[in-house]
Amino acid sequence: MLFDKEVAKVGYLSRSVPEGIDLKEAILKLKKEKNAVILAHYYVSDDIQSIADFVGDSLALAQASKKVAADIIVFCGVHFMAETAKILNPEAKVLLPDLNAGCSLADSAPEAEFLAFKNQYPDAVVVSYINCSSEIKALSDYICTSSNAVDVVNSIPKDKRIIFAPDKNLGLYVQKVTGRELILWDGACIVHVNISLDKLNALLATHPDAELIAHPECLPEILEKASFIGSTKALLEHVQSSNINKFIVATEAGILYKMKQAVPNKVIIPAPALESNTCACAECPYMKMNTLEKLYNTLYYEVPEILVNEKTQAGALKALNNMLTIK
Ligand code: 13P
Ligand code: SF4
């Protein structure tokens, strides 16, 4: 096809956008003309969140992907999320602004190695975190997200052994909450494990009136200190419903955009990262590959498109539906 070689080489179509245009307005116009919807994760830039049709956590985005009736879904998130949208809504054309937007968790579980691991425990039920490739989903019995991992594990009969992959930290957290022993794959989110315990302790000492809230992809030593643990959506809801007025938030800093909108009078402080970047907080380099320019080009040229082969799609859909019927 016309742009295939170029996309295969760099992961996206690099074209300069027309000079002098208002990018946000141009994207909204294109979106309307093409009957497209923009789905975005809380971790993408404020600019993109501000024009998305729907912003949510992984579970809410999977649910939204399944029910949207658009011709095109532009997924402003990472590759596994766009793949999930394609699996749940195969009739739609699913576009991802930059194919390089991966995920360290998905990368930690290559298909052949995961299959060999799974084969060591032939009787175990496989629960995979949604942050994995479509091939791993197809090798799984259930998918879960950070919103429902505890419910999914609790739904499995007590006499069954469970493989939990690929996030070891989420697995350890689920193990603690459910009291079930899990067979854990050794993967991690590079963003959440980059939150510095020392810097966090210092920050907590400076703000004794702040409550620490954390995403379950964080290391156990961070979670131990947190008063509330939940998915991005749960963290957002917590700052809204809590009586507390100051929070230190241990997750990717993109969530602060919606938090500050939701509770403009509360103080929201991002947890500090080990290695400082522009915000000295935790930023996902993959999520930040989504830019307004790439989003415009994706909508205009309708590439890169996400495709999933039929056999993988069927297996992954089964595991995803097993999750969606639970919650
Ligand atoms: P949730 O969207 O479930 O909060 O997970 C966060 C995440 O790291 C997505 O990649
Ligand atoms: Fe993957 Fe972590 Fe980025 Fe989420 S924040 S996409 S888990 S690397």
Side-chain angles (χ1 to χ4, degrees), residues 41 43 57-58 80-81 129 131 145-147 192 215 217 231-232 287:
H41 191 272
Y43 293 165
D57 69 355
S58 304
F80 77 81
M81 294 179 173
Y129 190 31
N131 298 39
T145 76
S146 62
S147 296
H192 288 85
H215 193 280
E217 287 173 16
S231 76
T232 41
M287 290 282 186

Side-chain angles (χ1 to χ4, degrees), residues 16 127 153 182 186 221 252 262 272:
S16 42
V127 178
V153 166
L182 305 174
D186 193 9
E221 51 267 39
E252 212 272 0

Side-chain angles (χ1 to χ4, degrees), residues 31-32 34-39 53 64-74 89-94:
K31 188 175 74 92
K32 207 168 167 196
K34 297 195 175 203
N35 188 28
V37 293
I38 300 173
L39 303 184
D53 294 286
S65 303
K66 191 173 175 165
K67 64 170 189 251
V68 290
D71 294 323
I72 296 177
I73 296 174
V74 186
N89 195 338
E91 298 301 314
K93 182 182 244 187
V94 177

Side-chain angles (χ1 to χ4, degrees), residues 173 200 204 207-215 220-230 234-235 238 242 244 246-250:
Y173 168 71
L200 186 59
L204 284 164
H207 300 279
D209 51 337
E211 181 184 49
L212 175 65
I213 60 174
H215 193 280
E221 51 267 39
I222 305 269
L223 296 182
E224 255 165 46
K225 291 188 158 286
S227 311
F228 181 83
I229 297 166
L235 296 175
H238 180 76
S242 165
I244 294 169
K246 198 191 261 190
F247 300 91
I248 296 174
V249 182

